[in-house]
Amino acid sequence: MACNGAKKPLLSGLVDSTSQRIDECTPYRRRFRRVKSAPVTELVPSDISGNGPIPCYESFFGGRHLSLKQVAVFLAVYLGLGTLCFYVVRDDIKGNKLNPILDSLYFCIVTMTTVGYGDLVPDSAPVKLLACVFVFTGMLLIGLILSKAADYLVEKQEILLIKALRRHQKLDPAAFLKEIETNKVKYKCYLAIIILSVLMLVGTIFLYIVEDFDIIDAFYCVCSTITTLGYGDKSFSTAYGRMFAVFWILTGTIALGQLFLYIAELFTERRQRALVNWVLTRRTTNLDLEAADIDDDGVVGAAEFVVYKLKEMGKISEEDIALVMKEFEDLDVDQSGTLSASDIMAQTTQTHK
């Protein structure tokens, strides 16, 4: 890759940038090479200097990712609209009724979380269709809550949990942040288990005292509710019970769903770490060097080796590399194999034409 037939490792400047020099006699363009010096900051336009806000990616719904406040607003609108609709058709809902407004809100929550005790059921075709609409929109909203609200509440308590677990150890700020980042999912699982346990304990005690269940039936009703089984033989049958159920059923079912998500994430993270450890500890062979030699020059440089290892770890793919190289080639206006401030300005000028 150097002149006179001498081979030079790709991106050798990553090891010793002071010894890097631009090779003008290279017969073909390098795919990877470090620029000799950093771009002159005065030449970089302010709109592309990186000081602006990071762009928000679009969500599944075509807009920007929903914030916690937006999810709360959607939940309030859903519960308000659902309560109003089921209140209007309350005569077409049969079962153990106590108070029209409370029953409507309770039925909305039971429908949303798919618990379906059976103590209140639709009794006409239009109301059954209405319940079908609300159960699907409710499940969608539960998904939004799981991805935003519950995760937000758990993360708020994460630092407190780590401090409690490490109270006998003195961690400096850097070590503390590293501990959070390394075991983040594990601590989330711990917190989700604690929250779920508290909710189950509170629910069992409430059913035992207010609904006059024996302790086994109270625990049985709690388990059948948070798992959304809703057998129907045990449910909330008092006004105070249903007021409590409005909040407890929603938080309990979400807490269980969040715990399952964290457990799945934890197993996925452990498998990924095991793969990374295997990639980093296994012996490198000649076949690996051949596979890592992107530009087929017989020498594997630092950049090529890093890219190859990241591919083995499953962190990037060939498509990712192709997209990045396409962007590099588009930015490299003078086709020198390097990027500089002049390339960026030329590319910006072409864009604005």
Side-chain angles (χ1 to χ4, degrees):
M1 294 182 63
C3 60
N4 301 327
K7 295 290 184 179
K8 185 177 181 180
L10 199 61
L11 261 182
S12 58
L14 287 174
V15 180
D16 184 6
S17 58
T18 61
S19 63
Q20 175 85 29
R21 66 182 181 85
I22 300 177
D23 189 0
E24 298 177 351
C25 57
T26 302
Y28 56 89
R29 175 185 172 187
R30 287 183 182 178
R31 294 180 62 83
F32 297 95
R33 186 172 57 182
R34 183 171 181 175
V35 183
K36 182 177 180 181
S37 60
V40 182
T41 55
E42 301 87 51
L43 298 178
V44 182
S46 58
D47 60 335
I48 58 171
S49 62
N51 295 326
I54 298 176
C56 297
Y57 296 99
E58 293 189 349
S59 68
F60 174 80
F61 301 96
R64 293 187 173 184
H65 283 293
L66 298 176
S67 67
L68 181 61
K69 290 183 179 179
Q70 289 174 316
V71 173
V73 170
F74 286 153
L75 177 61
V77 170
Y78 174 89
L79 293 178
L81 184 61
T83 301
L84 178 61
C85 290
F86 291 127
Y87 177 80
V88 171
V89 299
R90 62 188 180 279
D91 293 334
D92 291 327
I93 297 176
K94 66 179 182 179
N96 180 23
K97 298 181 180 180
L98 300 174
N99 176 278
I101 297 178
L102 179 60
D103 290 341
S104 300
L105 179 58
Y106 170 74
F107 183 74
C108 184
I109 290 289
V110 170
T111 301
M112 175 188 184
T113 56
T114 70
V115 172
Y117 287 123
D119 50 351
L120 293 174
V121 294
D123 195 31
S124 67
V127 179
K128 289 178 180 178
L129 292 176
L130 182 65
C132 291
V133 172
F134 272 90
V135 74
F136 280 110
T137 54
M139 292 175 67
L140 176 62
L141 187 55
I142 288 290
L144 292 178
I145 295 173
L146 284 174
S147 64
K148 281 292 180 183
D151 200 43
Y152 173 82
L153 293 174
V154 168
E155 287 184 350
K156 280 294 183 181
Q157 304 300 320
E158 187 176 0
I159 295 179
L160 295 178
L161 176 64
I162 296 175
K163 287 182 177 179
L165 294 176
R166 305 288 183 176
R167 62 184 182 276
H168 299 303
Q169 302 177 14
K170 292 184 178 180
L171 296 178
D172 56 55
F176 189 78
L177 292 175
K178 183 178 180 181
E179 174 72 14
I180 294 177
E181 187 64 28
T182 304
N183 299 301
K184 187 173 184 178
V185 179
K186 182 176 70 174
Y187 289 132
K188 284 183 177 182
C189 285
Y190 289 161
L191 277 170
I193 291 173
I194 293 172
I195 293 172
L196 182 62
S197 300
V198 170
L199 288 171
M200 292 180 66
L201 178 62
V202 171
T204 302
I205 294 174
F206 183 90
L207 288 169
Y208 176 76
I209 296 175
V210 178
E211 295 288 341
D212 201 23
F213 290 177
D214 64 56
I215 196 67
I216 299 299
D217 285 341
F219 182 71
Y220 163 77
C221 183
V222 165
C223 293
S224 64
T225 299
I226 64 173
T227 57
T228 70
L229 282 174
Y231 287 123
D233 52 340
K234 298 293 180 182
S235 61
F236 296 88
S237 57
T238 65
Y240 289 115
R242 288 187 177 177
M243 283 190 286
F244 172 79
V246 165
F247 302 98
W248 181 83
I249 292 176
L250 184 59
T251 54
T253 52
I254 289 175
L256 181 63
Q258 195 71 22
L259 174 60
F260 288 155
L261 287 178
Y262 287 150
I263 291 175
E265 186 179 353
L266 181 62
F267 279 110
T268 301
E269 184 184 78
R270 287 184 175 179
R271 287 197 300 268
Q272 180 64 31
R273 286 183 179 179
L275 176 60
V276 169
N277 183 65
W278 176 81
V279 169
L280 295 177
T281 55
R282 77 179 186 87
R283 183 178 179 182
T284 302
T285 65
N286 289 331
L287 292 176
D288 293 319
L289 294 180
E290 292 179 7
D293 189 8
I294 297 177
D295 52 10
D296 297 323
D297 66 337
V299 177
V300 176
E304 293 171 315
F305 188 75
V306 169
V307 168
Y308 176 69
K309 285 296 183 180
L310 289 175
K311 283 174 58 180
E312 274 199 316
M313 294 174 188
K315 295 183 179 295
I316 60 173
S317 63
E318 286 285 355
E319 183 180 358
D320 298 328
I321 298 172
L323 290 173
V324 173
M325 286 306 305
K326 176 65 167 59
E327 181 181 1
F328 179 88
E329 291 167 358
D330 291 341
L331 292 173
D332 187 15
V333 178
D334 59 3
Q335 296 186 351
S336 63
T338 64
L339 293 180
S340 63
S342 59
D343 289 316
I344 303 300
M345 292 191 66
Q347 197 269 345
T348 303
T349 303
Q350 292 179 359
T351 302
H352 291 305
K353 283 183 179 181

